[in-house]
Protein backbone atom coordinates (compact mmCIF):
# COMPACT_ATOMS: atom_id res chain seq x y z
CA UNK A 1 0.00 0.00 0.00
CA UNK A 2 1.28 3.50 -0.90
CA UNK A 3 2.46 5.78 1.89
CA UNK A 4 3.38 9.45 1.73
CA UNK A 5 4.96 9.14 -1.70
CA UNK A 6 1.59 8.72 -3.46
CA UNK A 7 -0.07 12.14 -3.52
CA UNK A 8 -3.75 11.49 -4.36
CA UNK A 9 -6.27 9.67 -6.55
CA UNK A 10 -7.03 12.94 -8.32
CA UNK A 11 -3.39 13.63 -9.12
CA UNK A 12 -2.96 10.11 -10.49
CA UNK A 13 -6.05 10.42 -12.71
CA UNK A 14 -4.99 13.83 -14.00
CA UNK A 15 -1.51 12.56 -14.76
CA UNK A 16 -2.59 9.44 -16.61
CA UNK A 17 -5.94 10.05 -18.31
CA UNK A 18 -6.60 11.87 -21.58
CA UNK A 19 -8.77 14.97 -20.95
CA UNK A 20 -11.97 13.54 -22.46
CA UNK A 21 -11.66 10.37 -20.36
CA UNK A 22 -10.73 12.39 -17.27
CA UNK A 23 -13.90 14.47 -17.60
CA UNK A 24 -16.09 11.34 -17.84
CA UNK A 25 -14.26 9.58 -14.99
CA UNK A 26 -14.72 12.64 -12.75
CA UNK A 27 -18.41 12.92 -13.73
CA UNK A 28 -19.02 9.32 -12.73
CA UNK A 29 -16.74 9.34 -9.68
CA UNK A 30 -17.57 12.80 -8.31
CA UNK A 31 -20.92 13.82 -9.80
CA UNK A 32 -21.68 17.36 -10.94
CA UNK A 33 -18.42 19.30 -11.19
CA UNK A 34 -17.80 21.80 -8.39
CA UNK A 35 -16.46 25.21 -9.34
CA UNK A 36 -13.05 26.29 -8.13
CA UNK A 37 -13.21 29.17 -5.63
CA UNK A 38 -11.15 32.26 -6.37
CA UNK A 39 -9.32 32.59 -3.07
CA UNK A 40 -7.09 35.58 -2.26
CA UNK A 41 -3.59 35.27 -3.71
CA UNK A 42 -2.25 36.17 -0.29
CA UNK A 43 -3.92 33.04 1.06
CA UNK A 44 -2.06 30.84 -1.39
CA UNK A 45 1.19 32.65 -0.58
CA UNK A 46 0.61 32.12 3.14
CA UNK A 47 -0.27 28.46 2.57
CA UNK A 48 2.86 27.92 0.53
CA UNK A 49 4.97 29.69 3.16
CA UNK A 50 3.24 27.67 5.88
CA UNK A 51 3.86 24.46 3.93
CA UNK A 52 0.25 23.35 3.64
CA UNK A 53 -2.08 22.72 0.71
CA UNK A 54 -4.94 25.15 0.08
CA UNK A 55 -7.90 24.22 -2.11
CA UNK A 56 -11.25 25.96 -2.64
CA UNK A 57 -14.45 24.67 -4.28
CA UNK A 58 -18.10 25.74 -4.49
CA UNK A 59 -21.42 23.91 -4.78
CA UNK A 60 -24.37 25.58 -6.48
CA UNK A 61 -28.09 25.41 -5.66
CA UNK A 62 -30.95 26.49 -7.93
CA UNK A 63 -32.23 30.03 -7.52
CA UNK A 64 -35.53 30.26 -5.62
CA UNK A 65 -38.21 32.95 -5.71
CA UNK A 66 -38.92 33.06 -1.97
CA UNK A 67 -35.60 32.12 -0.40
CA UNK A 68 -32.32 33.92 -0.89
CA UNK A 69 -29.24 31.71 -1.29
CA UNK A 70 -27.89 30.58 2.10
CA UNK A 71 -24.19 30.69 1.33
CA UNK A 72 -21.78 29.34 3.93
CA UNK A 73 -18.04 28.61 3.72
CA UNK A 74 -16.63 25.68 5.65
CA UNK A 75 -12.94 25.03 6.32
CA UNK A 76 -11.61 21.48 6.83
CA UNK A 77 -8.13 21.17 8.35
CA UNK A 78 -5.95 18.06 8.06
CA UNK A 79 -2.49 17.94 9.57
CA UNK A 80 0.31 15.76 10.82
CA UNK A 81 1.56 16.11 14.38
CA UNK A 82 4.54 18.50 14.13
CA UNK A 83 6.61 16.88 16.91
CA UNK A 84 7.52 13.27 17.71
CA UNK A 85 5.03 11.47 19.94
CA UNK A 86 7.54 11.21 22.80
CA UNK A 87 7.96 14.99 23.04
CA UNK A 88 6.65 16.39 26.37
CA UNK A 89 2.86 16.76 26.32
CA UNK A 90 2.70 20.53 26.80
CA UNK A 91 5.25 21.09 24.02
CA UNK A 92 3.19 19.00 21.60
CA UNK A 93 -0.07 20.76 22.47
CA UNK A 94 1.56 24.17 22.09
CA UNK A 95 3.07 23.26 18.73
CA UNK A 96 -0.31 22.04 17.49
CA UNK A 97 -2.02 25.20 18.73
CA UNK A 98 0.49 27.30 16.79
CA UNK A 99 0.04 25.18 13.66
CA UNK A 100 -3.76 25.42 13.80
CA UNK A 101 -3.57 29.14 14.55
CA UNK A 102 -1.57 29.71 11.36
CA UNK A 103 -3.94 27.63 9.20
CA UNK A 104 -7.02 29.27 10.75
CA UNK A 105 -5.58 32.72 9.94
CA UNK A 106 -5.53 31.71 6.28
CA UNK A 107 -9.03 30.23 6.55
CA UNK A 108 -10.24 33.59 7.83
CA UNK A 109 -8.77 35.40 4.79
CA UNK A 110 -10.70 32.89 2.64
CA UNK A 111 -13.99 33.83 4.29
CA UNK A 112 -14.48 30.60 6.19
CA UNK A 113 -17.52 30.73 8.50
CA UNK A 114 -17.21 27.30 10.15
CA UNK A 115 -13.87 25.53 10.64
CA UNK A 116 -13.43 21.92 11.78
CA UNK A 117 -10.21 20.28 12.95
CA UNK A 118 -9.39 16.58 12.82
CA UNK A 119 -10.27 14.02 15.50
CA UNK A 120 -8.29 14.45 18.75
CA UNK A 121 -6.31 17.17 17.00
CA UNK A 122 -4.26 18.18 20.04
CA UNK A 123 -2.37 14.90 20.32
CA UNK A 124 -0.85 11.92 18.54
CA UNK A 125 -3.53 9.31 17.95
CA UNK A 126 -2.11 7.16 20.74
CA UNK A 127 -5.14 4.92 21.18
CA UNK A 128 -3.28 2.05 19.54
CA UNK A 129 -1.42 1.71 22.83
CA UNK A 130 -3.00 0.61 26.07
CA UNK A 131 -0.38 2.29 28.29
CA UNK A 132 -2.51 5.25 29.41
CA UNK A 133 0.40 7.54 30.32
CA UNK A 134 1.45 9.96 28.97
CA UNK A 135 -1.44 9.92 26.50
CA UNK A 136 -4.23 10.53 29.04
CA UNK A 137 -2.38 13.72 30.01
CA UNK A 138 -3.54 15.21 26.70
CA UNK A 139 -7.13 15.09 28.01
CA UNK A 140 -8.65 18.37 29.09
CA UNK A 141 -11.90 20.02 30.09
CA UNK A 142 -14.42 20.56 27.27
CA UNK A 143 -15.64 23.66 29.13
CA UNK A 144 -12.51 25.57 30.15
CA UNK A 145 -9.39 23.64 29.16
CA UNK A 146 -6.46 25.42 27.41
CA UNK A 147 -7.53 24.18 23.97
CA UNK A 148 -11.12 25.34 24.36
CA UNK A 149 -9.98 28.74 25.55
CA UNK A 150 -7.61 28.89 22.56
CA UNK A 151 -10.45 27.98 20.19
CA UNK A 152 -12.73 30.58 21.76
CA UNK A 153 -10.12 33.22 20.98
CA UNK A 154 -9.95 31.98 17.37
CA UNK A 155 -13.75 32.11 17.11
CA UNK A 156 -13.96 35.65 18.45
CA UNK A 157 -10.99 36.93 16.44
CA UNK A 158 -12.22 35.53 13.14
CA UNK A 159 -16.01 35.61 13.67
CA UNK A 160 -15.90 31.89 12.94
CA UNK A 161 -17.68 28.82 14.36
CA UNK A 162 -14.99 26.39 15.55
CA UNK A 163 -15.48 22.62 15.81
CA UNK A 164 -12.73 21.29 18.07
CA UNK A 165 -12.47 17.51 18.52
CA UNK A 166 -10.44 16.74 21.67
CA UNK A 167 -9.79 14.07 24.28
CA UNK A 168 -12.11 15.25 27.05
CA UNK A 169 -11.65 14.66 30.78
CA UNK A 170 -14.93 15.17 32.62
CA UNK A 171 -13.82 16.27 36.11
CA UNK A 172 -17.46 16.67 37.18
CA UNK A 173 -18.13 12.99 36.62
CA UNK A 174 -15.31 10.86 37.93
CA UNK A 175 -12.52 12.29 35.74
CA UNK A 176 -13.80 10.02 32.98
CA UNK A 177 -12.37 10.37 29.46
CA UNK A 178 -14.46 10.89 26.32
CA UNK A 179 -13.73 11.38 22.62
CA UNK A 180 -15.50 14.70 22.24
CA UNK A 181 -16.06 17.54 19.77
CA UNK A 182 -16.71 20.97 21.25
CA UNK A 183 -18.67 23.46 19.15
CA UNK A 184 -17.85 27.11 19.73
CA UNK A 185 -20.03 29.89 18.34
CA UNK A 186 -18.55 32.70 16.26
CA UNK A 187 -19.35 34.89 19.28
CA UNK A 188 -16.75 32.87 21.21
CA UNK A 189 -19.38 31.25 23.44
CA UNK A 190 -19.29 27.48 23.88
CA UNK A 191 -22.46 26.21 22.16
CA UNK A 192 -21.99 22.68 23.50
CA UNK A 193 -20.33 19.36 22.87
CA UNK A 194 -21.00 15.99 21.31
CA UNK A 195 -19.32 12.69 22.05
CA UNK A 196 -18.21 9.87 19.75
CA UNK A 197 -21.17 7.49 19.66
CA UNK A 198 -19.43 4.43 18.23
CA UNK A 199 -16.01 3.26 19.49
CA UNK A 200 -13.92 0.94 17.27
CA UNK A 201 -12.41 -2.40 18.22
CA UNK A 202 -10.73 -2.96 14.85
CA UNK A 203 -7.06 -3.21 13.90
CA UNK A 204 -4.94 -1.19 16.31
CA UNK A 205 -7.82 1.12 17.20
CA UNK A 206 -7.90 0.21 20.90
CA UNK A 207 -9.88 3.31 21.85
CA UNK A 208 -12.23 1.30 24.05
CA UNK A 209 -9.30 1.06 26.48
CA UNK A 210 -9.56 4.81 27.02
CA UNK A 211 -13.20 5.82 26.63
CA UNK A 212 -16.74 4.52 26.32
CA UNK A 213 -19.40 5.13 23.69
CA UNK A 214 -20.81 8.65 23.89
CA UNK A 215 -23.79 9.43 26.14
CA UNK A 216 -24.99 12.73 24.64
CA UNK A 217 -27.02 11.37 21.75
CA UNK A 218 -27.20 13.34 18.52
CA UNK A 219 -27.15 17.06 19.27
CA UNK A 220 -27.44 19.50 16.37
CA UNK A 221 -26.06 22.99 16.90
CA UNK A 222 -27.92 26.03 15.57
CA UNK A 223 -25.22 28.44 14.45
CA UNK A 224 -25.40 31.74 12.56
CA UNK A 225 -24.27 29.77 9.50
CA UNK A 226 -26.73 26.89 9.64
CA UNK A 227 -27.47 23.77 11.69
CA UNK A 228 -24.41 21.56 12.19
CA UNK A 229 -23.58 18.22 13.79
CA UNK A 230 -20.42 16.17 14.37
CA UNK A 231 -20.12 12.46 13.61
CA UNK A 232 -16.70 11.43 14.95
CA UNK A 233 -14.67 9.02 12.81
CA UNK A 234 -15.80 5.40 13.33
CA UNK A 235 -19.38 6.70 13.60
CA UNK A 236 -19.18 7.19 9.81
CA UNK A 237 -19.61 3.42 9.36
CA UNK A 238 -23.02 3.56 11.11
CA UNK A 239 -25.76 4.91 8.80
CA UNK A 240 -28.17 5.33 11.73
CA UNK A 241 -25.65 7.67 13.36
CA UNK A 242 -25.77 9.99 10.36
CA UNK A 243 -29.55 9.56 10.14
CA UNK A 244 -30.21 10.70 13.71
CA UNK A 245 -28.18 13.87 13.23
CA UNK A 246 -30.22 14.47 10.08
CA UNK A 247 -33.52 13.70 11.84
CA UNK A 248 -32.49 16.38 14.36
CA UNK A 249 -32.13 18.84 11.49
CA UNK A 250 -28.43 18.89 10.61
CA UNK A 251 -27.64 20.63 7.32
CA UNK A 252 -23.87 20.07 7.60
CA UNK A 253 -22.39 17.04 9.38
CA UNK A 254 -18.67 17.15 10.09
CA UNK A 255 -16.79 13.82 10.30
CA UNK A 256 -13.45 14.53 12.02
CA UNK A 257 -11.47 11.29 11.74
CA UNK A 258 -8.15 9.54 12.20
CA UNK A 259 -7.81 6.47 10.03
CA UNK A 260 -5.16 4.57 8.15
CA UNK A 261 -4.82 3.34 4.60
CA UNK A 262 -4.58 -0.38 5.10
CA UNK A 263 -7.85 -0.41 7.02
CA UNK A 264 -10.23 2.10 5.48
CA UNK A 265 -8.92 4.00 2.46
CA UNK A 266 -11.22 2.25 -0.04
CA UNK A 267 -14.22 2.96 2.19
CA UNK A 268 -13.30 6.59 2.78
CA UNK A 269 -14.71 8.07 -0.46
CA UNK A 270 -18.00 6.16 -0.05
CA UNK A 271 -19.31 6.62 3.49
CA UNK A 272 -19.54 10.37 4.08
CA UNK A 273 -20.67 10.85 0.48
CA UNK A 274 -23.41 8.24 0.81
CA UNK A 275 -24.51 9.88 4.07
CA UNK A 276 -24.86 13.21 2.26
CA UNK A 277 -27.04 11.55 -0.40
CA UNK A 278 -29.15 9.53 2.04
CA UNK A 279 -29.75 12.42 4.46
CA UNK A 280 -30.08 15.39 2.08
CA UNK A 281 -27.24 17.24 3.83
CA UNK A 282 -23.61 18.24 3.33
CA UNK A 283 -20.93 16.05 4.95
CA UNK A 284 -17.33 17.05 5.63
CA UNK A 285 -14.86 14.15 5.88
CA UNK A 286 -11.57 15.10 7.58
CA UNK A 287 -8.65 12.71 8.16
CA UNK A 288 -5.25 13.34 9.70
CA UNK A 289 -2.02 12.90 7.75
CA UNK A 290 1.27 11.09 8.17
CA UNK A 291 2.79 8.45 10.40
CA UNK A 292 3.13 8.57 14.19
CA UNK A 293 5.65 6.31 15.91
CA UNK A 294 5.24 5.49 19.57
CA UNK A 295 8.05 4.92 22.11
CA UNK A 296 6.96 1.40 23.10
CA UNK A 297 6.05 -1.32 20.66
CA UNK A 298 2.57 -2.79 20.99
CA UNK A 299 0.38 -5.48 19.60
CA UNK A 300 -3.40 -5.67 19.38
CA UNK A 301 -3.54 -9.38 19.98
CA UNK A 302 -4.56 -10.01 16.35
CA UNK A 303 -1.58 -12.13 15.37
CA UNK A 304 0.38 -9.21 13.92
CA UNK A 305 3.94 -8.79 15.18
CA UNK A 306 4.52 -6.08 17.77
CA UNK A 307 5.01 -2.69 16.08
CA UNK A 308 5.27 0.99 17.01
CA UNK A 309 2.86 2.78 14.71
CA UNK A 310 -0.71 2.69 13.35
CA UNK A 311 0.27 2.83 9.69
CA UNK A 312 -0.26 5.73 7.33
CA UNK A 313 -2.95 8.36 7.99
CA UNK A 314 -3.93 9.28 4.45
CA UNK A 315 -5.59 12.69 4.75
CA UNK A 316 -7.82 12.93 1.63
CA UNK A 317 -10.35 15.23 3.31
CA UNK A 318 -13.36 16.19 1.17
CA UNK A 319 -16.87 17.68 1.21
CA UNK A 320 -19.91 15.88 -0.21
CA UNK A 321 -23.21 17.51 -1.18
CA UNK A 322 -26.80 16.21 -0.91
CA UNK A 323 -26.95 15.74 -4.69
CA UNK A 324 -24.08 13.23 -4.46
CA UNK A 325 -21.45 15.54 -5.89
CA UNK A 326 -18.21 16.02 -3.96
CA UNK A 327 -15.05 18.03 -3.99
CA UNK A 328 -11.74 16.50 -4.98
CA UNK A 329 -9.90 15.39 -1.87
CA UNK A 330 -6.99 17.11 -0.25
CA UNK A 331 -3.73 15.21 -0.73
CA UNK A 332 -2.74 12.04 1.09
CA UNK A 333 0.59 13.46 2.21
CA UNK A 334 0.35 17.15 3.08
CA UNK A 335 -1.20 19.30 5.75
CA UNK A 336 -4.09 21.06 4.13
CA UNK A 337 -7.02 23.46 4.30
CA UNK A 338 -10.07 22.72 2.18
CA UNK A 339 -12.36 25.76 1.81
CA UNK A 340 -15.78 24.89 0.40
CA UNK A 341 -18.68 27.20 -0.32
CA UNK A 342 -22.11 25.64 0.20
CA UNK A 343 -25.58 26.93 -0.61
CA UNK A 344 -27.65 25.29 2.14
CA UNK A 345 -30.78 25.68 -0.02
CA UNK A 346 -29.50 22.63 -1.90
CA UNK A 347 -30.50 20.40 1.05
CA UNK A 348 -34.22 21.06 0.71
CA UNK A 349 -34.08 21.19 -3.09
CA UNK A 350 -32.63 17.67 -3.23
CA UNK A 351 -35.08 16.54 -0.54
CA UNK A 352 -37.94 17.75 -2.77
CA UNK A 353 -36.48 15.82 -5.73
CA UNK A 354 -35.61 12.51 -4.09
CA UNK A 355 -37.87 12.60 -1.02
CA UNK A 356 -35.91 10.27 1.27
CA UNK A 357 -37.40 12.02 4.34
CA UNK A 358 -40.88 11.28 2.91
CA UNK A 359 -40.16 7.72 1.76
CA UNK A 360 -37.83 6.70 4.61
CA UNK A 361 -40.49 4.61 6.48
CA UNK A 362 -38.82 5.54 9.78
CA UNK A 363 -41.83 4.48 11.87
CA UNK A 364 -41.71 1.02 10.25
CA UNK A 365 -38.01 0.61 10.98
CA UNK A 366 -38.43 1.99 14.50
CA UNK A 367 -40.99 -0.72 15.23
CA UNK A 368 -39.00 -3.48 13.55
CA UNK A 369 -35.78 -2.45 15.29
CA UNK A 370 -37.57 -2.22 18.67
CA UNK A 371 -38.55 -5.87 18.13
CA UNK A 372 -35.18 -6.95 16.73
CA UNK A 373 -33.27 -5.76 19.82
CA UNK A 374 -35.41 -7.85 22.17
CA UNK A 375 -33.60 -10.93 23.58
CA UNK A 376 -36.32 -13.28 22.33
CA UNK A 377 -36.39 -11.88 18.76
CA UNK A 378 -36.22 -14.44 15.99
CA UNK A 379 -35.16 -13.19 12.55
CA UNK A 380 -37.85 -13.16 9.88
CA UNK A 381 -36.38 -15.89 7.70
CA UNK A 382 -38.69 -17.71 5.32
CA UNK A 383 -37.64 -21.36 4.86
CA UNK A 384 -38.74 -24.04 2.41
N1 LIG B 1 -10.52 6.96 14.91
C1 LIG B 1 -11.29 5.90 14.56
O1 LIG B 1 -12.40 5.73 15.03
N2 LIG B 1 -10.77 5.01 13.69
C2 LIG B 1 -11.36 3.69 13.51
C3 LIG B 1 -10.99 3.12 12.17
C4 LIG B 1 -11.87 3.67 11.07
O2 LIG B 1 -13.00 4.02 11.33
O3 LIG B 1 -11.39 3.75 9.92
Amino acid sequence: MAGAEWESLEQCLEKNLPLADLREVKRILYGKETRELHLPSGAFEAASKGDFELRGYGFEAAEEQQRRPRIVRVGLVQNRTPLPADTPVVKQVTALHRRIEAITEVAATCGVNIICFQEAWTMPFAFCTRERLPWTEFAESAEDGPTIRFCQELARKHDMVVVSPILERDAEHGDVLWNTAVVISNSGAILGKTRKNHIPRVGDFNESTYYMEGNLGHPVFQTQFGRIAVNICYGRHHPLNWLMYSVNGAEIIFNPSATVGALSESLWPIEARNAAIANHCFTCAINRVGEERFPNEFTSGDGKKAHRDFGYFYGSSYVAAPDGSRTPGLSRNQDGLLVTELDLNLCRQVNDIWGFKMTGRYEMYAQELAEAVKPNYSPNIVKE
Side-chain angles (χ1 to χ4, degrees):
M1 190 209 82
E5 73 287 351
W6 205 71
E7 183 178 329
S8 71
L9 169 69
E10 291 85 353
Q11 191 258 358
C12 178
L13 292 173
E14 267 148 35
K15 191 170 77 176
N16 295 293
L17 286 182
L19 200 54
D21 289 340
L22 179 63
R23 200 172 293 122
E24 280 310 291
V25 163
K26 279 184 169 180
R27 179 184 63 80
I28 294 167
L29 271 185
Y30 286 178
K32 189 178 148 197
E33 190 155 7
T34 52
R35 70 182 151 81
E36 286 223 24
L37 284 185
H38 296 298
L39 300 173
S41 56
F44 287 106
E45 284 154 23
S48 170
K49 198 169 157 211
D51 189 24
F52 61 91
E53 181 185 17
L54 172 60
R55 290 276 183 274
Y57 301 98
F59 292 102
E60 313 296 339
E63 196 176 320
E64 298 184 13
Q65 291 183 24
Q66 300 187 65
R67 289 197 307 177
R68 295 179 48 70
R70 296 173 63 222
I71 305 297
V72 174
R73 282 193 177 187
V74 297
L76 283 55
V77 181
Q78 66 177 44
N79 64 277
R80 64 187 65 246
T81 46
L83 297 176
D86 58 359
T87 309
V89 169
V90 172
K91 277 184 107 176
Q92 291 193 64
V93 175
T94 304
L96 280 157
H97 281 189
R98 296 293 70 78
R99 182 59 170 162
I100 289 300
E101 188 174 35
I103 295 176
T104 304
E105 291 276 347
V106 174
T109 65
C110 296
V112 164
N113 303 116
I114 308 171
I115 197 164
C116 186
F117 309 137
Q118 64 200 25
E119 181 182 15
W121 71 271
T122 62
M123 64 186 288
F125 208 75
F127 309 113
C128 43
T129 77
R130 289 195 173 91
E131 54 203 6
R132 278 41 167 213
L133 287 175
W135 318 118
T136 53
E137 293 194 69
F138 283 93
E140 49 180 292
S141 163
E143 283 69 37
D144 59 8
T147 294
I148 299 313
R149 288 200 300 274
F150 162 70
C151 289
Q152 287 181 282
E153 283 165 32
L154 289 181
R156 275 190 287 270
K157 179 177 179 184
H158 299 303
D159 187 26
M160 202 185 278
V161 171
V162 176
V163 179
S164 177
I166 60 168
L167 181 63
E168 175 192 4
R169 185 179 293 284
D170 184 352
E172 302 298 312
H173 300 87
D175 265 346
V176 168
L177 299 180
W178 298 96
N179 185 315
T180 300
V182 182
V183 179
I184 295 158
S185 165
N186 52 316
S187 68
I190 297 175
L191 269 180
K193 63 188 177 185
T194 187
R195 288 171 173 158
K196 186 171 185 177
N197 282 320
H198 299 275
I199 306 299
R201 284 93 167 155
V202 60
D204 287 326
F205 290 92
N206 299 309
E207 301 174 45
S208 55
T209 302
Y210 289 87
Y211 37 76
M212 293 291 285
E213 280 72 9
N215 59 353
L216 300 179
H218 295 81
V220 169
F221 301 91
Q222 179 65 62
T223 76
Q224 183 183 326
F225 310 111
R227 295 189 301 275
I228 69 172
V230 191
N231 177 356
I232 302 176
C233 199
Y234 186 73
R236 75 179 183 283
H237 307 298
H238 295 275
L240 292 178
N241 204 29
W242 297 102
L243 173 65
M244 268 323 297
Y245 290 118
S246 174
V247 165
N248 284 335
E251 296 169 297
I252 309 170
I253 306 175
F254 293 92
N255 176 227
S257 299
T259 185
V260 292
L263 183 70
S264 66
E265 192 160 11
S266 60
L267 309 181
W268 181 253
I270 299 167
E271 292 170 312
R273 186 179 180 201
N274 184 61
I277 296 166
N279 296 293
H280 302 321
C281 66
F282 289 92
T283 58
C284 300
I286 304 163
N287 185 25
R288 70 173 57 199
V289 184
E291 210 160 23
E292 299 168 2
R293 290 183 64 76
F294 294 94
N296 306 313
E297 64 180 19
F298 58 85
T299 170
S300 296
D302 55 3
K304 278 172 67 179
K305 291 194 179 334
H307 45 287
R308 292 175 54 194
D309 69 281
F310 252 120
Y312 189 71
F313 294 102
Y314 52 83
S316 309
S317 305
Y318 70 95
V319 177
D323 65 358
S325 59
R326 57 155 281 181
T327 68
L330 288 178
S331 79
R332 298 175 76 256
N333 52 21
Q334 290 179 73
D335 290 8
L337 168 63
L338 174 61
V339 178
T340 307
E341 184 173 275
L342 323 173
D343 181 343
L344 297 181
N345 283 354
L346 188 61
C347 298
R348 195 177 82 179
Q349 289 175 11
V350 174
N351 188 3
D352 289 349
I353 293 166
W354 282 94
F356 297 154
K357 299 289 183 183
M358 173 176 69
T359 59
R361 304 294 305 276
Y362 303 145
E363 70 294 333
M364 175 181 76
Y365 290 112
Q367 285 163 16
E368 288 189 47
L369 280 170
E371 290 306 312
V373 296
K374 287 179 181 169
N376 60 352
Y377 176 71
S378 58
N380 177 8
I381 300 172
V382 179
K383 296 172 183 155
E384 191 172 1

